[in-house]
Amino acid sequence: MLAFPRPASSAFYRPDIDGLRAIAVLSVIAYHIGVPGLPGGFVGVDIFFVLSGFLISGLLRQELLSGGTIGFAAFFARRIRRLGPALVLVTLVTLVAGYMVLLPDAANTLGREARAVVTLSANHHFMKHAFDYFNTATDLKPMLHTWSLAVEEQYYLLWPLLMLGAYRVGGGVKALRPTLLAVLLLSFAACLYLSYSDMPKAFYLMPTRAWEFAAGGLLAWLPLRHSRRAWHANALAGGGLAVLLCSIVLLDEHSMVFPGWVVLLPVCGTLLVLAAGGLDPHHAPGRLLGSRLFTAVGLLSYSWYLWHQPLLALGRYYDVGQRDLLRDFLLGGVLALLLAWLTYCLVEQPIRQRRWRWFVTDKSTLWVGLAMSVLVWLAGSAAMYLPKKYPWPGYQSILQVKQDQAQLPPGCDMPERGVPLSPQASCRIGPAGAPLQLLAWGDSHTDHAMPMYQLLAQAQGVAILRRAYHGCPPLLDAVPVGEGKVRSWCLNHSRAVMAELGQLSRSGLKGVLMNVRWNGYTALPVAGSASITGLAPADDQGKVAVSGAMLAGVGQLDRAHSLQVMAASLDRLASQLAVLQLKLVLLAPEPEMPLSVPECLARRGESACHARRADVDRQREAILPILQQVASRHTNVRVWDPIARFCDAQTCYAAAAGVVRYQDQNHLTASMSRTLQADFAPLFNWARQP
């Protein structure tokens, strides 16, 4: 039945908790939409964590006091009724919508996300594949928000076991508070340590968030008594709301460590408001939080949270990855709220009230929960593979351009740790039996130059060894750092390649061809980047002397320091190659487009996809002088700049003369790469001469 959300009548119901849920969901959704002035809206998740700890711990304590045990089947059945059906509905609808909106590779990623959702491992999935929650690349991940649900679900699995174990081993209820206090202290210590050493783990993992649940649980077990002095509760609640407001308005992920110490602000703010409700449920701020509007939003908060991110991500994906405040407000705000209301009325409430026969008993609910998980897992698996075989009609032109890419040697892989290097026989290009004279070294931009190299290798009768590792610059004593972590695998790979060069130089290798997206490693946010990293110097053991949270763009990892590290490291590399009597050709950065070109051409038209020459010059203004300076200092180094093939005085073209030049925003199509071979031929020939 469709109706305005109303709380159930109960003597134990606290409307201020639904009011806090409203603040939490409004802040998170406003943050994801990009509402100005709310840079800390992401702390709404921390409010949810504290509320969950408060409510679940309170329920478990009551169960232990009344019966001395915990009914696990009933507990998990309640969790399934509360969370499962709505989550399954949103996930399945997202998979169907994703098939119509996403390209096959993105649909494959969405399928993997859906499988992670139902295996309760979404936080681990996104820690591995999204790294930095705050990066704009996460705008296009429809299920990103489920990381927090996974943390809660893992908490639901472990918390009853922990409470029952403490109760029985410790001799009753008296052992519960020390247990929670120990969890709080240990978890918070781990959170602080990882915040400054491996921030993604501190952010995404349940053990580093468990202290927030424990804080709520400890408050639920404090013997708060009704206070006759209203100002006590008013002061606590007013102070708590002020702290929450400051957290939402003042915290900024670009200039701080999070979770770190600052997460204490939303956690303590929530605890103060909850404590005030225990002292006086009718305090003045509580009447505001318990108003009909706030409680209605609080009751819809779960479904609204579920719907908003898929709608935002799919809308942005279709609009070539761009944010638009009005569109995002209509999708993540208005439409998501409407769907949340329908989901609440037609799915959440009937199931929680056991009006659907499949959810009447705990046993049947558990079996239905298992069936729903299997269904979503199968649907996610289908989304991973079917769109590539049966793409949505109308995407053929985009896919044709996306598939215009280098045909790389099979078996030439990028191992997770950077080493061991793939066998040379698996990474050679050129005529069979041709002498190996050149090595192509770099990141994914080396790969988009491979079609050009392949033509020249065939024409000149030489072989080239491919040594590319995406996301890694070919430097021996500098490593990309960002997202709270060090890309140590890059250093492993570069040093292995250098050791290999020492051997190859004695058996006929003449030179190195190097094409790298240097801006991706020098703390400059660039279009199409999945992350932003800076460069830090590394010693002979690979250790990096960077303190703090390892945020690119801040302190030792800012743009200026990163460029200095790049220049010094590249200069030393040129010297080492000279000792080996190897030549080095540095390819200058190609222009980068403002939008992904294939999608832009299909949806906006060619004129909207080009880049202004002035913008491209700004992209290159810091990198090109470094490359030229290295060449001026070393006779074995030359720079090749293809800018004239892309740009005139005013414009750099995404497509021209019937050739689409880019697979996305910065990677060339194979067709474009091949057109450059005549221009590059003189330096190609120079590099392979003694």
Side-chain angles (χ1 to χ4, degrees):
M1 181 178 180
L2 300 179
F4 192 83
R6 293 177 180 273
S9 57
S10 168
F12 301 103
Y13 174 69
R14 284 186 52 175
D16 60 323
I17 291 179
D18 272 326
L20 283 170
R21 286 192 178 113
I23 292 174
V25 76
L26 286 167
S27 64
V28 171
I29 291 175
Y31 171 76
H32 286 160
I33 289 173
V35 176
L38 303 174
F42 55 86
V43 301
V45 169
D46 300 283
I47 299 174
F48 280 128
F49 287 165
V50 176
L51 292 177
S52 290
F54 181 82
L55 293 169
I56 297 300
S57 298
L59 290 172
L60 293 175
R61 179 175 181 270
Q62 285 299 116
E63 195 167 350
L64 287 170
L65 286 173
S66 61
T69 189
I70 292 174
F72 288 96
F75 176 83
F76 292 125
R78 287 194 300 269
R79 294 299 90 207
I80 290 172
R81 293 188 196 102
R82 172 72 180 94
L83 304 175
L87 177 59
V88 168
L89 172 66
V90 172
T91 305
L92 291 175
V93 170
T94 301
L95 288 170
V96 173
Y99 173 61
M100 295 183 284
V101 174
L102 303 177
L103 293 173
D105 285 346
N108 179 282
T109 300
L110 175 59
R112 295 179 189 277
E113 293 175 8
R115 298 205 312 189
V117 168
V118 294
T119 54
L120 313 186
S121 59
N123 56 333
H124 291 270
H125 174 86
F126 289 112
M127 183 180 70
K128 182 177 181 181
H129 297 287
F131 293 117
D132 186 359
Y133 173 84
F134 303 114
N135 190 275
T136 55
T138 58
D139 281 356
L140 307 183
K141 295 188 177 297
M143 305 306 293
L144 176 69
H145 60 322
T146 60
W147 77 268
S148 64
L149 300 181
V151 170
E152 292 215 26
E153 289 156 353
Q154 292 158 19
Y155 154 71
Y156 296 144
L157 288 175
L158 296 178
W159 215 246
L161 294 171
L162 178 66
M163 294 300 98
L164 184 60
Y167 180 85
R168 291 186 173 173
V169 174
V173 177
K174 63 182 181 181
L176 297 181
R177 285 183 203 161
T179 300
L180 281 189
L181 182 60
V183 170
L184 187 151
L185 295 175
L186 291 173
S187 172
F188 186 56
C191 176
L192 288 178
Y193 173 75
L194 288 174
S195 291
Y196 292 89
S197 60
D198 196 339
M199 198 164 66
K201 288 182 179 178
F203 186 89
Y204 283 112
L205 293 182
M206 192 276 287
T208 55
R209 296 293 194 148
W211 70 274
E212 300 182 47
F213 300 104
L218 279 171
L219 180 63
W221 295 352
L222 286 179
L224 295 176
R225 297 180 180 179
H226 183 76
S227 174
R228 296 181 180 180
R229 299 181 179 180
W231 71 267
H232 289 170
N234 289 336
L236 283 177
L241 289 176
V243 171
L244 289 177
L245 181 62
C246 288
S247 302
I248 294 166
V249 173
L250 299 179
L251 296 186
D252 184 353
E253 76 275 9
H254 299 299
S255 58
M256 68 179 190
V257 176
F258 194 87
W261 288 98
V262 293
V263 74
L264 285 170
L265 291 174
V267 170
C268 291
T270 306
L271 292 173
L272 289 173
V273 177
L274 288 172
L279 293 176
D280 179 7
H282 305 294
H283 60 80
R287 290 195 293 273
L288 172 64
L289 291 174
S291 64
R292 190 175 180 187
L293 179 61
F294 269 85
T295 56
V297 173
L299 291 169
L300 296 177
S301 61
Y302 176 60
S303 287
W304 196 4
Y305 183 79
L306 288 180
W307 282 110
H308 85 281
Q309 178 65 16
L311 291 172
L312 287 175
L314 293 174
R316 288 165 176 166
Y317 186 94
Y318 189 81
D319 196 23
V320 204
Q322 299 301 291
R323 285 192 171 199
D324 179 273
L325 185 59
L326 177 59
R327 181 206 64 216
D328 291 346
F329 172 76
L330 293 175
L331 288 175
V334 178
L335 179 57
L337 181 58
L338 174 61
L339 291 173
W341 173 61
L342 293 173
T343 304
Y344 177 82
C345 294
L346 301 178
V347 178
E348 283 192 70
Q349 285 299 92
I351 290 175
R352 291 180 69 185
Q353 296 168 5
R354 308 194 190 197
R355 297 205 299 265
W356 291 13
R357 62 184 179 88
W358 292 341
F359 295 93
V360 171
T361 68
D362 293 338
K363 183 177 180 180
S364 64
T365 299
L366 294 173
W367 280 110
V368 171
L370 177 62
M372 290 190 301
S373 298
V374 172
L375 174 63
V376 173
W377 194 90
L378 292 173
S381 300
M384 289 168 59
Y385 303 109
L386 289 182
K388 186 160 287 190
K389 190 172 183 180
Y390 305 105
W392 185 252
Y395 279 176
Q396 283 77 8
S397 62
I398 298 175
L399 292 173
Q400 186 176 4
V401 177
K402 294 283 189 182
Q403 292 162 2
D404 184 11
Q405 55 187 269
Q407 300 302 309
L408 301 173
C412 191
D413 302 320
M414 294 180 289
E416 185 174 355
R417 294 183 57 253
V419 290
L421 300 178
S422 297
Q424 293 179 10
S426 300
C427 297
R428 287 172 65 114
I429 64 168
L436 180 61
Q437 293 188 347
L438 296 170
L439 184 142
W441 191 8
D443 56 11
S444 59
H445 279 212
T446 282
D447 279 346
H448 78 206
M450 292 303 289
M452 174 180 72
Y453 296 159
Q454 288 168 328
L455 284 180
L456 291 167
Q458 290 289 341
Q460 301 297 332
V462 300
I464 301 174
L465 181 62
R466 171 185 175 262
R467 288 303 185 204
Y469 202 108
H470 298 182
C472 289
L475 299 173
L476 305 177
D477 51 11
V479 62
V481 179
E483 310 157 330
K485 63 171 52 186
V486 177
R487 295 189 186 179
S488 57
W489 56 91
C490 293
L491 207 58
N492 296 339
H493 184 264
S494 293
R495 291 181 175 180
V497 173
M498 191 64 200
E500 183 180 50
L501 282 171
Q503 301 168 5
L504 293 174
S505 65
R506 296 189 292 271
S507 56
L509 193 79
K510 305 300 181 187
V512 174
L513 311 176
M514 187 174 288
N515 193 13
V516 182
R517 194 190 190 202
W518 295 109
N519 272 331
Y521 313 109
T522 49
L524 179 70
V526 288
S529 276
S531 61
I532 172 175
T533 62
L535 278 177
D539 62 20
D540 292 341
Q541 286 73 44
K543 294 181 180 178
V544 178
V546 176
S547 59
M550 295 184 285
L551 294 173
V554 178
Q556 298 164 287
L557 295 174
D558 65 8
R559 175 73 166 168
H561 282 89
S562 296
L563 289 169
Q564 291 172 9
V565 172
M566 172 199 160
S569 184
L570 187 58
D571 188 80
R572 287 189 290 269
L573 174 62
S575 297
Q576 290 176 269
L577 293 176
V579 171
L580 298 175
Q581 297 183 334
L582 293 174
K583 295 179 179 179
L584 173 62
V585 178
L586 297 170
L587 280 68
E590 301 93 350
E592 300 193 9
M593 298 295 108
L595 300 171
S596 181
V597 170
E599 294 93 324
C600 182
L601 293 174
R603 294 169 183 164
R604 295 194 176 189
E606 185 174 319
S607 61
C609 306
H610 305 314
R612 296 192 312 134
R613 175 63 185 265
D615 293 336
V616 169
D617 288 341
R618 278 192 291 272
Q619 291 172 6
R620 293 159 31 101
E621 65 183 0
I623 301 299
L624 192 57
I626 292 175
L627 304 184
Q628 292 169 338
Q629 183 181 32
V630 171
S632 69
R633 289 168 52 85
H634 302 275
T635 58
N636 66 319
V637 180
R638 292 189 183 179
V639 175
W640 180 67
D641 189 355
I643 190 71
R645 292 297 311 274
F646 291 86
C647 308
D648 57 28
Q650 288 77 38
T651 305
C652 295
Y653 296 93
V659 176
V660 180
R661 295 176 166 180
Y662 293 86
Q663 304 171 44
D664 46 34
Q665 289 164 290
N666 62 87
H667 293 97
L668 304 183
T669 59
S671 297
M672 182 59 193
S673 181
R674 293 187 191 101
T675 68
L676 302 175
Q677 59 103 3
D679 296 82
F680 187 65
L683 279 179
F684 184 90
N685 291 328
W686 172 81
R688 67 185 190 86
Q689 297 302 319

